[in-house]
Amino acid sequence: MGQRRLPDRVALGTMHGKETVIAPPLSGLGIAVVRADLDTDRFGTFAGDVPRAGDMRAAARAKALAAASLTGLGVGLASEGAYGPHPTTPFLPFGRELLLWHDTQSGHEIIETLTDSQPNFEHETVQDPAAADGFLRRIGFPGTAVIVQSAAGAAPIAKGVTGRDALDGAIRAAQQASGTALLQTDMRAHLNPRRMAMIGDLALRLAKRLATPCPACNAPGFGHLRSLPGLPCGDCGTETGLIAADLQGCTLCGHETRIPSKGSADPAHCPRCNP
Ligand SMILES: [Zn+2]
Ligand SMILES: [Zn+2]
């Protein structure tokens, strides 16, 4: 039994050039990525002027479905990112990225995710253009673009700024409006090379996963679903929060395999030995 056929063409909903990193890994599987000229901003923006509807998965699914419908292709593809404070170290930035494959005929959905603990996601408040120099150096301006607001939550005065004159003008306009300018890294993929590289990593993972057939039904895309905690303590055997197994599965037929972690947990992580 050969692997169930992958489509020749899939639709990618993007207006931020993501095809440049998503298409190459998929072309290795004989899949051409067709860019759907979708106004993805209507599904939510990083600048916050359009709120995102639902969670990352729902937002990516909406874009993938719109891309499939726009192109008439059976499979839609979309990526979604979310950036904010680190979950355990709130003064550090943290990013999550998701790439979703949705087969509109079968409903089969394959999702790859990754986290970035060193994203190019920063903001700074400045009083005048000259004060922006340090921030601009840190973020790699103009390779990474800037968003200028008069205050957090205000409509951006300028987005995607990659020219110093335009930036200085926007800073002065913000100053006139509120007395200060809030600068942020633009997180749109074509304006943030770090983020684009993360999406490229996700595309590589997706390609590898698509090349892995389900051992039960032969559908493409068998792979990691989630990590299961509960690795037993090496001293007393109590379940700890460490990963006990990798749950791999097929999202078409539901077949799942547990790959147990090796060894046992250091008692330092044990709620009984080290409460
Ligand atoms: Zn299966
Ligand atoms: Zn223990």
Side-chain angles (χ1 to χ4, degrees), residues 1 5 11 15 17 19 23 31 38 40 42 46-48 66 124 137 154 194 197 200 219 224 244-245 252 261 270 273:
M1 183 167 64
R5 254 172 65 88
M15 52 178 201
E19 70 276 8
I31 303 169
L38 207 61
T40 49
R42 72 185 163 91
F46 282 109
E124 187 156 298
R137 262 196 305 278
R194 168 75 186 193
H224 172 80
L252 188 61
S261 306
C270 175
C273 300

Side-chain angles (χ1 to χ4, degrees), residues 4 108 213-220 222 249-256:
R4 190 170 298 185
H108 187 201
C214 168
C217 78
N218 222 28
F222 191 79
C250 168
T251 49
L252 188 61
C253 76
H255 177 71
E256 291 180 349

